Amino acid sequence: MAAAAVVRDYDPKNDCRAVEEVERICEVGPTGGGKLSIFTDLLGDPICRVRNSPVYKMLVAEVVVQKDGGEWRREIVGMIRSCIKTVTCGKKLPRNGKTSHPLPVYAKVAYILGLRVSPFHRRMGIGLNLVTKMEEWFRENGAEYSYMATENDNQASINLFTHKCGYSKFREPSILVQPVFAHRVRVSGRVTIIKLSPGDAEVLYRRRFSATEFFPRDIDSVLRNSLNLGTFLAVPKGGREAWRGSEEFLAAPPESWAVLSVWNSMAVFKLEVRGASRKLRGFAKTTRLLDRAFPWLRLPSVPEVFRPFGLHFLYGLGGEGPLAVEFITALCGFAHNMAKQRGCGVVATEVSAADPLRLGIPHWKTLSCADDLWCIKRLGEGYSDGSVGDWTKSQPDLSIFVDPREV
């Protein structure tokens, strides 16, 4: 027997263990179509998943439950995390003619991350209550839009947000996951990879990608965050000698180039693949043993993903020129080798399904999610810049910018 749920602010001193228990019993990730389920194993304070965002909040749902002995106790049965930031929601052409690149149009946007309700307390309106209370906070802080991500086959989540909360289906990006093998991946000898300073990385991103949907206006904070392991630029072989900084590079770029940044998600949370059969576990172990024994064969081994493992997240992927796809592949190989050195289990990224660079991103279909779904809701009237209409009705671009702080 339990009383109605009460939604309140998360208390890091007293709620951490109870929230982790709800996380543990709630499966997260694709579960349909024979895919393995993945759950989050947070390290330390559960609010750390949004703490790197400029404005963030976490709420919990608490009920008073009568135990078998007749004693009444408070019990946390749900939670929701969110952050608010300013991102690109559209673009416009400059009027002064000084540049041919479109200029970004920004909006203040809220992102819902990690809505969880205990399996024993579902279909009681707790999820709806959590979302409603969080949206009140969004409006109080001037957010114009709210959006969330789920899997296309998570019908319960889709029904909650689209049927009960007024969200609409918006974008369908793909989460691409590559295992980290026991061997190093070969990187094309036709490519030179340069690690950029945070200042050079910011110049490059603002000049070339700031008009991309969901580009964070505070990209400088992302690039200077301690979780950011670096931004890497791929140019034709020998380009390192000619490197004089982003300003000179953008003034006369090579015919083809590509860029990406690496975020250390393993310092925030870990994952674990659950539900694998003994046969599959044995097969995976055999592939690792063979890969370690014969690294020169470069066997596609399965990492130890059946216990908590970390990941590196690749973001800010972009490039230009006829060899951009090849250069992205080289950068992904470089990132794989970095992850191997740091003990990660997988390397992951999220891109628009229509992004042409997607063809150059190595991944395993079994671990990936080709049908991620972003839903959006308009909270306020207009944009921060009133030159564009309702963002929820806009057509998708080829690319999106996935903020690693939301992973």
Side-chain angles (χ1 to χ4, degrees):
M1 180 177 178
V6 174
V7 175
R8 61 170 175 82
D9 286 351
Y10 167 73
D11 180 355
K13 291 183 179 180
N14 300 311
D15 296 341
C16 181
R17 187 169 297 179
V19 167
E20 287 180 339
E21 177 61 20
V22 176
E23 288 274 6
R24 187 188 67 80
I25 63 176
C26 290
E27 288 187 345
V28 181
T31 57
K35 294 182 179 179
L36 300 175
S37 61
I38 297 176
F39 82 97
T40 304
D41 177 30
L42 293 166
L43 302 175
D45 191 348
I47 205 172
C48 64
R49 292 288 298 277
V50 290
R51 181 164 283 157
N52 289 288
S53 298
V55 183
Y56 59 88
K57 191 178 186 68
M58 182 170 176
L59 300 174
V60 296
E62 186 178 64
V63 298
V64 178
V65 180
Q66 187 176 26
K67 300 299 183 180
D68 293 338
E71 181 184 2
W72 290 86
R73 293 183 183 177
R74 296 180 181 275
E75 181 178 331
I76 291 177
V77 297
M79 80 283 296
I80 188 172
R81 306 178 189 89
S82 294
C83 60
I84 299 176
K85 59 184 180 177
T86 302
V87 304
T88 297
C89 61
K91 52 192 173 184
K92 59 184 178 180
L93 294 176
R95 296 179 180 179
N96 54 21
K98 292 182 178 180
T99 175
S100 60
H101 295 286
L103 300 177
V105 176
Y106 293 108
K108 198 170 185 180
V109 177
Y111 177 67
I112 294 176
L113 169 69
L115 173 62
R116 307 279 188 269
V117 176
S118 165
F120 312 109
H121 294 83
R122 291 174 183 170
R123 297 181 178 86
M124 298 170 60
I126 295 175
L128 176 61
N129 197 6
L130 284 165
V131 174
T132 301
K133 291 294 185 182
M134 189 61 81
E135 288 182 348
E136 292 177 5
W137 178 72
F138 293 163
R139 292 186 174 92
E140 290 171 0
N141 285 270
E144 300 166 70
Y145 293 91
S146 170
Y147 77 103
M148 51 75 68
T150 187
E151 298 80 38
N152 246 321
D153 59 358
N154 189 342
Q155 202 57 51
S157 179
I158 294 173
N159 286 342
L160 170 63
F161 281 94
T162 60
H163 295 169
K164 297 182 180 180
C165 298
Y167 287 69
S168 57
K169 296 181 180 181
F170 191 56
R171 301 291 183 256
E172 297 186 45
S174 299
I175 301 173
L176 306 180
V177 181
Q178 181 190 24
V180 175
F181 308 126
H183 65 270
R184 290 176 60 84
V185 171
R186 287 177 180 169
V187 178
S188 172
R190 299 200 300 169
V191 176
T192 293
I193 296 177
I194 303 169
K195 183 176 182 179
L196 305 185
S197 68
D200 277 328
E202 181 184 354
V203 169
L204 180 60
Y205 278 128
R206 289 197 188 279
R207 294 272 293 276
R208 280 293 188 268
F209 305 109
S210 64
T212 303
E213 270 193 328
F214 293 97
F215 180 87
R217 196 171 196 170
D218 65 336
I219 185 65
D220 54 321
S221 297
V222 180
L223 297 171
R224 288 173 171 80
N225 192 290
S226 61
L227 297 177
N228 189 60
L229 299 180
T231 299
F232 303 92
L233 178 70
V235 295
K237 185 176 181 180
R240 189 185 308 276
E241 292 74 15
W243 177 254
R244 298 292 183 273
S246 289
E247 293 287 357
E248 289 194 20
F249 172 82
L250 292 170
E255 183 181 24
S256 296
W257 58 273
V259 66
L260 61 74
S261 297
V262 182
W263 188 264
N264 183 21
S265 295
M266 69 182 295
V268 181
F269 64 90
K270 289 190 176 182
L271 303 171
E272 180 178 350
V273 175
R274 308 178 76 185
S277 65
R278 184 176 299 178
K279 181 178 180 181
L280 180 58
R281 289 171 180 263
F283 170 75
K285 184 176 182 179
T286 300
T287 66
R288 292 194 301 274
L289 291 174
L290 290 173
D291 196 3
R292 292 191 184 100
F294 309 104
W296 59 87
L297 294 179
R298 303 184 184 277
L299 299 173
S301 58
V302 180
E304 180 54 271
V305 294
F306 307 114
R307 58 185 179 185
F309 64 91
L311 71 87
H312 282 177
F313 185 76
L314 311 183
Y315 71 98
L317 283 72
E320 296 179 358
L323 299 180
V325 170
E326 178 184 337
F327 284 16
I328 278 290
T329 302
L331 286 172
C332 289
F334 177 87
H336 169 280
N337 294 340
M338 178 191 298
K340 177 184 180 300
Q341 185 176 1
R342 298 177 66 92
C344 279
V346 300
V347 176
T349 189
E350 186 164 15
V351 296
S352 168
D355 194 325
L357 295 180
R358 186 183 189 278
L359 298 174
I361 302 172
H363 62 281
W364 279 17
K365 185 176 180 180
T366 302
L367 295 176
S368 301
C369 176
D371 299 314
D372 200 25
L373 175 64
W374 291 10
C375 298
I376 196 169
K377 178 179 180 177
R378 194 178 191 184
L379 299 174
E381 291 298 324
Y383 286 79
S384 300
D385 181 321
S387 61
V388 184
D390 186 352
W391 188 20
T392 66
K393 300 176 182 178
S394 66
Q395 294 298 311
D397 289 334
L398 289 178
S399 301
I400 56 174
F401 196 102
V402 180
D403 192 328
R405 297 172 295 186
E406 299 173 355
V407 175

